[in-house]
Amino acid sequence: AREARMARLAAALLFLGAAPGAIAALAQAPNISGAARSLCGAYTNPCRKVAHVPSGPDIWVSSTFSYIADGRYIHEEFGFFNETACSKNKPWLQIRYEGTWRSEETQAAGVPDSVSSVAVDVVSVWLTLARDEVCARAVEGELQCMKTNETIRTLCPCNGWDWSTEGSEPLKRNVGMFCMPHEQCPVIHEAFLHQTHHVYFKANAYRSCFSPTSTAASRVWEESEEQCVGK
């Protein structure tokens, strides 16, 4: 779901809060028990193409995420306009989600006993823009350049903040601190910030298999939809 949303933003020429200390405070007494402890670890999703802009470039993403034993959760996504940039880890956009996670004791009917679930609360979202303009070749070979800062300004006005990267330094914004109220960055507030996301999983010491994330706690586990990631 996150990948699809990033792809839609990028196709529109874009491709998110609490202070960091608040996350540590929330995680001081995590409710993590039983099978959920096997979920702890750091995971990496490698470069993959998630969409294609009509008459434009492909959209590539990579991501990392961690379920930490003290109850903290960190997820970072990186956006690229071609495979080469992704393989060289040169993103034009980075989104960092921070929050907490906990065990869920009850599950929807029909979920196998071998499957467990956790809830993730996203309390802080950071957006880092690396470049004001991104150029990539379309399928036809034509070089297309996009003003990424102008598009982000349209989608996330953030009370008039200047989205220019000020030369070569990437620009980083905490959406919860600088982009309130809701209408100052609705695409992030509606989907991620201060939302609880429910995840079904199966895990061992070497890898975990996840269901798609959902804000609906009653969502049914579908084995055909699971994605397995090594630790």
Side-chain angles (χ1 to χ4, degrees):
R2 286 194 177 102
E3 290 179 357
R5 192 169 289 107
M6 180 176 280
R8 289 198 296 271
L9 294 179
L13 300 185
L14 168 71
F15 171 168
L16 101 115
I23 297 169
L26 287 171
Q28 284 179 357
N31 176 23
I32 302 171
S33 60
R37 293 205 171 273
S38 64
L39 186 60
C40 293
Y43 303 85
T44 298
N45 278 316
C47 294
R48 59 210 178 275
K49 184 172 68 174
V50 297
H52 174 73
V53 179
S55 301
D58 294 326
I59 308 302
W60 287 75
V61 300
S62 66
S63 62
T64 64
F65 57 101
S66 298
Y67 290 88
I68 304 171
D70 64 5
R72 288 178 295 141
Y73 173 81
I74 300 173
H75 185 116
E76 292 184 293
E77 292 180 336
F78 308 88
F80 313 85
F81 275 122
N82 55 55
E83 183 178 9
T84 300
C86 193
S87 64
K88 293 181 177 180
N89 194 30
K90 293 185 176 181
W92 67 276
L93 179 78
Q94 174 184 350
I95 305 177
R96 179 183 174 97
Y97 312 90
E98 300 176 344
T100 62
W101 68 287
R102 64 187 185 277
S103 303
E104 291 191 301
E105 302 303 328
T106 60
Q107 298 183 169
V111 176
D113 292 340
S114 61
V115 175
S116 302
S117 63
V118 295
V120 176
D121 295 302
V122 177
V123 300
S124 181
V125 188
W126 294 80
L127 185 153
T128 301
L129 180 66
R131 301 175 182 84
D132 291 341
E133 183 178 71
V134 175
C135 297
R137 293 197 179 277
V139 175
E140 297 80 7
E142 178 185 357
L143 188 66
Q144 296 183 345
C145 295
M146 292 154 277
K147 292 289 187 179
T148 54
N149 60 342
E150 294 179 2
T151 304
I152 292 181
R153 187 181 301 117
T154 299
L155 294 174
C156 293
C158 293
N159 299 296
W161 275 92
D162 184 3
W163 281 106
S164 299
T165 59
E166 301 174 357
S168 60
E169 290 298 317
L171 180 69
K172 186 175 183 179
R173 289 277 185 269
N174 183 313
V175 171
M177 295 179 69
F178 299 112
C179 307
M180 294 287 284
H182 173 278
E183 59 268 18
Q184 292 300 316
C185 194
V187 69
I188 296 301
H189 283 289
E190 291 173 2
F192 304 116
L193 198 52
H194 303 302
Q195 297 276 353
T196 297
H197 300 266
H198 304 275
V199 183
Y200 287 125
F201 71 93
K202 296 183 293 186
N204 58 35
Y206 307 102
R207 73 171 190 169
S208 298
C209 298
F210 302 91
S211 70
T213 301
S214 174
T215 55
S218 60
R219 189 180 188 281
V220 176
W221 165 268
E222 294 288 349
E223 189 168 1
S224 61
E225 297 179 339
E226 73 177 23
Q227 178 186 19
C228 297
V229 186
K231 297 183 180 181

